[in-house]
Coordinates of all heavy atoms in Angstrom, one line a residue:
Chain A
L312 N -1.6 11.1 -30.6 CA -1.7 10.4 -31.9 C -0.3 10.1 -32.4 O -0.1 9.2 -33.3 CB -2.5 11.2 -32.9 CG -4.0 11.2 -32.6 CD1 -4.8 12.0 -33.5 CD2 -4.6 9.8 -32.6
R313 N 0.7 10.8 -31.9 CA 2.1 10.5 -32.4 C 2.5 9.1 -32.1 O 3.4 8.6 -32.7 CB 3.0 11.5 -31.7 CG 2.9 12.9 -32.2 CD 3.9 13.2 -33.4 NE 3.9 14.5 -33.8 CZ 4.5 15.5 -33.2 NH1 5.2 15.2 -32.1 NH2 4.4 16.7 -33.7
N314 N 2.0 8.6 -31.0 CA 2.4 7.3 -30.5 C 1.7 6.2 -31.4 O 0.6 5.8 -31.2 CB 1.9 7.1 -29.1 CG 2.5 5.8 -28.5 OD1 2.8 4.9 -29.2 ND2 2.5 5.8 -27.1
R315 N 2.4 5.8 -32.5 CA 1.8 5.0 -33.5 C 1.4 3.6 -32.9 O 0.4 3.0 -33.3 CB 2.7 4.8 -34.7 CG 2.8 6.1 -35.5 CD 1.5 6.4 -36.2 NE 1.4 7.8 -36.4 CZ 0.4 8.4 -37.1 NH1 -0.6 7.7 -37.5 NH2 0.4 9.7 -37.3
R316 N 2.3 3.1 -32.1 CA 2.0 1.8 -31.5 C 0.7 1.8 -30.8 O -0.1 0.9 -30.9 CB 3.1 1.4 -30.5 CG 4.4 0.9 -31.2 CD 5.4 0.6 -30.1 NE 6.7 0.7 -30.7 CZ 7.4 -0.2 -31.3 NH1 6.8 -1.4 -31.5 NH2 8.6 0.0 -31.8
A317 N 0.4 2.8 -30.0 CA -0.8 2.9 -29.2 C -2.0 3.0 -30.2 O -3.0 2.3 -30.0 CB -0.8 4.1 -28.3
L318 N -1.8 3.8 -31.2 CA -2.9 3.9 -32.2 C -3.2 2.6 -32.9 O -4.4 2.2 -33.0 CB -2.5 5.0 -33.3 CG -3.6 5.3 -34.2 CD1 -4.8 5.9 -33.5 CD2 -3.1 6.3 -35.3
W319 N -2.1 1.9 -33.3 CA -2.4 0.6 -33.9 C -3.0 -0.4 -33.0 O -3.8 -1.2 -33.4 CB -1.1 0.1 -34.5 CG -0.7 0.7 -35.8 CD1 0.4 1.5 -36.1 CD2 -1.5 0.8 -37.0 NE1 0.4 1.9 -37.4 CE2 -0.8 1.5 -38.0 CE3 -2.7 0.2 -37.4 CZ2 -1.3 1.8 -39.2 CZ3 -3.2 0.4 -38.6 CH2 -2.5 1.2 -39.6
S320 N -2.6 -0.4 -31.7 CA -3.1 -1.4 -30.8 C -4.6 -1.1 -30.6 O -5.4 -2.0 -30.5 CB -2.4 -1.5 -29.5 OG -2.1 -0.2 -29.0
T321 N -5.0 0.2 -30.5 CA -6.5 0.4 -30.3 C -7.2 0.0 -31.5 O -8.3 -0.6 -31.4 CB -6.7 1.9 -29.9 OG1 -6.1 2.7 -30.9 CG2 -6.2 2.3 -28.6
L322 N -6.7 0.4 -32.7 CA -7.4 0.0 -33.9 C -7.5 -1.5 -34.1 O -8.5 -2.0 -34.5 CB -6.7 0.7 -35.1 CG -6.9 2.2 -35.2 CD1 -6.1 2.8 -36.3 CD2 -8.4 2.5 -35.3
T323 N -6.4 -2.2 -33.7 CA -6.5 -3.7 -33.8 C -7.6 -4.2 -32.9 O -8.4 -5.1 -33.3 CB -5.1 -4.3 -33.3 OG1 -4.1 -3.6 -33.9 CG2 -5.1 -5.7 -33.5
V324 N -7.7 -3.6 -31.7 CA -8.8 -4.1 -30.8 C -10.1 -3.9 -31.4 O -11.0 -4.8 -31.4 CB -8.7 -3.3 -29.5 CG1 -9.9 -3.5 -28.6 CG2 -7.5 -3.7 -28.7
V325 N -10.3 -2.7 -32.1 CA -11.6 -2.5 -32.8 C -11.8 -3.6 -33.8 O -13.0 -4.1 -34.0 CB -11.6 -1.1 -33.4 CG1 -12.9 -0.9 -34.2 CG2 -11.5 0.0 -32.3
G326 N -10.8 -3.9 -34.6 CA -10.9 -4.9 -35.6 C -11.3 -6.2 -35.0 O -12.2 -6.9 -35.5
I327 N -10.7 -6.6 -34.0 CA -11.0 -7.9 -33.3 C -12.5 -7.9 -32.9 O -13.2 -8.9 -33.1 CB -10.1 -8.1 -32.1 CG1 -8.6 -8.3 -32.5 CG2 -10.6 -9.4 -31.3 CD1 -7.7 -8.4 -31.3
G328 N -12.9 -6.8 -32.3 CA -14.3 -6.7 -31.9 C -15.2 -6.8 -33.0 O -16.2 -7.6 -33.0
A329 N -15.0 -6.1 -34.2 CA -15.9 -6.2 -35.3 C -15.9 -7.7 -35.9 O -17.0 -8.1 -36.3 CB -15.4 -5.3 -36.4
L330 N -14.8 -8.3 -35.9 CA -14.7 -9.7 -36.4 C -15.5 -10.7 -35.4 O -16.1 -11.6 -35.9 CB -13.3 -10.2 -36.5 CG -12.5 -9.6 -37.7 CD1 -11.1 -10.1 -37.7 CD2 -13.2 -9.9 -39.0
L331 N -15.4 -10.4 -34.1 CA -16.0 -11.3 -33.2 C -17.5 -11.1 -33.1 O -18.2 -11.9 -32.5 CB -15.4 -11.1 -31.8 CG -14.1 -11.8 -31.5 CD1 -13.6 -11.5 -30.1 CD2 -14.2 -13.3 -31.7
W332 N -18.0 -10.0 -33.7 CA -19.4 -9.7 -33.6 C -20.3 -10.9 -34.0 O -21.2 -11.3 -33.3 CB -19.8 -8.5 -34.4 CG -21.2 -8.1 -34.3 CD1 -21.8 -7.3 -33.4 CD2 -22.3 -8.5 -35.3 NE1 -23.2 -7.2 -33.6 CE2 -23.4 -7.9 -34.8 CE3 -22.3 -9.2 -36.4 CZ2 -24.7 -8.0 -35.4 CZ3 -23.5 -9.3 -37.1 CH2 -24.7 -8.8 -36.6
Y333 N -20.0 -11.5 -35.1 CA -20.9 -12.5 -35.7 C -20.8 -13.8 -34.8 O -21.9 -14.3 -34.4 CB -20.5 -12.8 -37.1 CG -21.4 -13.8 -37.8 CD1 -22.7 -13.3 -38.1 CD2 -21.1 -15.1 -38.1 CE1 -23.6 -14.2 -38.7 CE2 -22.0 -15.9 -38.7 CZ -23.3 -15.5 -39.0 OH -24.2 -16.3 -39.6
P334 N -19.6 -14.3 -34.5 CA -19.6 -15.5 -33.6 C -20.3 -15.3 -32.3 O -21.0 -16.2 -31.8 CB -18.1 -15.8 -33.5 CG -17.4 -14.8 -34.2 CD -18.3 -14.0 -35.0
L335 N -20.2 -14.1 -31.8 CA -20.8 -13.8 -30.4 C -22.3 -14.0 -30.5 O -22.9 -14.3 -29.5 CB -20.4 -12.4 -30.0 CG -19.1 -12.3 -29.3 CD1 -18.8 -10.8 -29.0 CD2 -19.0 -13.1 -28.0
Q336 N -22.9 -13.7 -31.6 CA -24.4 -13.7 -31.7 C -24.9 -15.1 -31.3 O -26.0 -15.3 -30.9 CB -24.9 -13.3 -33.1 CG -24.4 -11.9 -33.5 CD -24.9 -10.9 -32.5 OE1 -26.0 -10.9 -32.0 NE2 -24.0 -9.9 -32.2
F337 N -24.0 -16.2 -31.6 CA -24.4 -17.5 -31.3 C -24.3 -17.9 -29.8 O -25.0 -18.7 -29.3 CB -23.6 -18.5 -32.1 CG -23.9 -18.5 -33.6 CD1 -23.0 -17.8 -34.4 CD2 -25.0 -19.1 -34.1 CE1 -23.3 -17.7 -35.8 CE2 -25.3 -19.0 -35.4 CZ -24.4 -18.3 -36.3
L338 N -23.5 -17.1 -29.1 CA -23.3 -17.3 -27.7 C -24.3 -16.6 -26.9 O -24.8 -17.0 -25.8 CB -21.9 -16.8 -27.4 CG -21.4 -17.0 -25.9 CD1 -21.3 -18.4 -25.6 CD2 -20.1 -16.3 -25.7
F339 N -24.8 -15.4 -27.4 CA -25.6 -14.5 -26.6 C -27.0 -15.1 -26.2 O -27.4 -14.8 -25.1 CB -25.9 -13.2 -27.4 CG -24.7 -12.2 -27.3 CD1 -24.5 -11.3 -28.2 CD2 -23.9 -12.3 -26.2 CE1 -23.4 -10.4 -28.1 CE2 -22.8 -11.4 -26.0 CZ -22.6 -10.4 -27.0
P340 N -27.6 -16.0 -27.0 CA -28.9 -16.5 -26.4 C -28.8 -17.2 -25.1 O -29.8 -17.3 -24.4 CB -29.3 -17.5 -27.5 CG -28.7 -17.0 -28.8 CD -27.4 -16.4 -28.4
Y341 N -27.6 -17.7 -24.8 CA -27.4 -18.4 -23.5 C -26.9 -17.4 -22.4 O -26.4 -17.9 -21.4 CB -26.5 -19.5 -23.6 CG -26.8 -20.4 -24.8 CD1 -26.0 -20.3 -26.0 CD2 -27.9 -21.2 -24.8 CE1 -26.3 -21.0 -27.1 CE2 -28.2 -22.0 -26.0 CZ -27.4 -21.9 -27.1 OH -27.7 -22.6 -28.2
A342 N -27.0 -16.1 -22.6 CA -26.3 -15.2 -21.7 C -27.0 -15.1 -20.3 O -28.2 -15.3 -20.2 CB -26.4 -13.8 -22.3
T343 N -26.1 -14.9 -19.4 CA -26.6 -14.6 -18.0 C -25.8 -13.5 -17.5 O -24.8 -13.1 -18.2 CB -26.3 -15.8 -17.1 OG1 -24.9 -16.1 -17.1 CG2 -27.1 -17.1 -17.5
G344 N -26.2 -12.9 -16.4 CA -25.5 -11.7 -15.9 C -24.0 -12.0 -15.6 O -23.1 -11.3 -15.9
L345 N -23.8 -13.2 -15.1 CA -22.5 -13.6 -14.7 C -21.6 -13.7 -15.9 O -20.4 -13.3 -16.0 CB -22.5 -15.0 -14.0 CG -21.3 -15.2 -13.0 CD1 -21.3 -14.2 -11.9 CD2 -21.4 -16.6 -12.5
M346 N -22.2 -14.3 -17.0 CA -21.4 -14.5 -18.2 C -21.0 -13.2 -18.8 O -19.9 -13.0 -19.3 CB -22.2 -15.3 -19.2 CG -21.5 -15.7 -20.5 SD -22.6 -16.7 -21.5 CE -22.8 -15.6 -22.9
I347 N -21.9 -12.2 -18.8 CA -21.6 -10.9 -19.4 C -20.5 -10.3 -18.6 O -19.6 -9.7 -19.2 CB -22.9 -10.0 -19.4 CG1 -24.0 -10.7 -20.3 CG2 -22.6 -8.6 -19.9 CD1 -23.6 -10.7 -21.8
A348 N -20.6 -10.4 -17.3 CA -19.5 -9.8 -16.5 C -18.2 -10.4 -16.8 O -17.2 -9.7 -17.0 CB -19.9 -10.0 -15.0
G349 N -18.2 -11.8 -17.0 CA -17.0 -12.5 -17.3 C -16.4 -12.0 -18.7 O -15.3 -11.8 -18.8
L350 N -17.4 -11.9 -19.6 CA -17.0 -11.4 -21.0 C -16.3 -10.0 -20.9 O -15.4 -9.8 -21.6 CB -18.2 -11.4 -21.9 CG -18.5 -12.7 -22.6 CD1 -19.8 -12.6 -23.4 CD2 -17.4 -13.3 -23.4
A351 N -16.9 -9.2 -20.1 CA -16.4 -7.8 -19.9 C -14.9 -7.9 -19.5 O -14.0 -7.2 -20.0 CB -17.2 -7.0 -19.0
V352 N -14.7 -8.7 -18.4 CA -13.3 -8.8 -17.9 C -12.4 -9.4 -19.0 O -11.3 -8.8 -19.3 CB -13.3 -9.8 -16.7 CG1 -11.9 -10.0 -16.2 CG2 -14.1 -9.2 -15.6
V353 N -12.8 -10.4 -19.7 CA -12.0 -11.0 -20.8 C -11.7 -9.9 -21.9 O -10.6 -9.8 -22.3 CB -12.7 -12.2 -21.4 CG1 -12.0 -12.7 -22.7 CG2 -12.9 -13.3 -20.4
T354 N -12.8 -9.1 -22.2 CA -12.6 -8.1 -23.2 C -11.5 -7.1 -22.9 O -10.6 -6.9 -23.7 CB -13.9 -7.3 -23.4 OG1 -14.9 -8.2 -23.5 CG2 -13.8 -6.4 -24.6
V355 N -11.5 -6.6 -21.6 CA -10.5 -5.7 -21.2 C -9.2 -6.4 -21.2 O -8.1 -5.8 -21.7 CB -10.8 -5.1 -19.8 CG1 -9.7 -4.2 -19.3 CG2 -12.1 -4.3 -19.9
G356 N -9.1 -7.7 -20.8 CA -7.9 -8.4 -20.8 C -7.3 -8.5 -22.2 O -6.1 -8.3 -22.3
V357 N -8.1 -8.8 -23.1 CA -7.7 -8.9 -24.5 C -7.1 -7.6 -25.0 O -6.0 -7.6 -25.6 CB -8.8 -9.4 -25.5 CG1 -8.4 -9.2 -26.9 CG2 -9.2 -10.8 -25.2
G358 N -7.8 -6.5 -24.7 CA -7.3 -5.2 -25.0 C -5.9 -4.9 -24.5 O -5.0 -4.5 -25.2
V359 N -5.7 -5.2 -23.2 CA -4.5 -5.0 -22.5 C -3.4 -5.9 -23.1 O -2.2 -5.4 -23.4 CB -4.6 -5.3 -21.0 CG1 -3.2 -5.2 -20.3 CG2 -5.5 -4.3 -20.3
L360 N -3.8 -7.1 -23.5 CA -2.8 -8.0 -24.1 C -2.3 -7.5 -25.4 O -1.1 -7.5 -25.7 CB -3.5 -9.4 -24.2 CG -2.5 -10.5 -24.7 CD1 -1.5 -10.8 -23.7 CD2 -3.3 -11.7 -25.2
V361 N -3.3 -7.0 -26.2 CA -2.9 -6.4 -27.5 C -1.9 -5.3 -27.4 O -0.9 -5.2 -28.0 CB -4.2 -6.0 -28.3 CG1 -3.8 -5.2 -29.5 CG2 -5.0 -7.1 -28.7
G362 N -2.2 -4.4 -26.4 CA -1.3 -3.3 -26.2 C 0.1 -3.8 -25.8 O 1.1 -3.3 -26.2
F363 N 0.1 -4.8 -24.9 CA 1.3 -5.4 -24.5 C 2.1 -6.0 -25.6 O 3.3 -5.8 -25.7 CB 1.0 -6.5 -23.4 CG 2.2 -7.2 -22.9 CD1 3.0 -6.6 -21.9 CD2 2.6 -8.4 -23.4 CE1 4.1 -7.2 -21.4 CE2 3.8 -9.0 -22.9 CZ 4.5 -8.4 -21.9
L364 N 1.4 -6.7 -26.5 CA 2.1 -7.4 -27.6 C 2.7 -6.4 -28.6 O 3.7 -6.6 -29.3 CB 1.1 -8.3 -28.4 CG 0.7 -9.5 -27.6 CD1 -0.2 -10.4 -28.4 CD2 2.0 -10.3 -27.2

Side-chain angles (χ1 to χ4, degrees):
Chain A
L312 288 177
R313 287 268 184 81
N314 188 338
R315 289 292 155 177
R316 282 178 207 276
L318 187 60
W319 281 119
S320 45
T321 52
L322 288 175
T323 311
V324 166
V325 175
I327 296 176
L330 285 179
L331 278 181
W332 179 83
Y333 190 69
L335 275 175
Q336 303 302 319
F337 292 100
L338 182 65
F339 278 156
Y341 312 105
T343 58
L345 205 63
M346 184 177 114
I347 296 295
L350 277 179
V352 174
V353 171
T354 312
V355 175
V357 168
V359 172
L360 185 71
V361 169
F363 178 80
L364 290 179

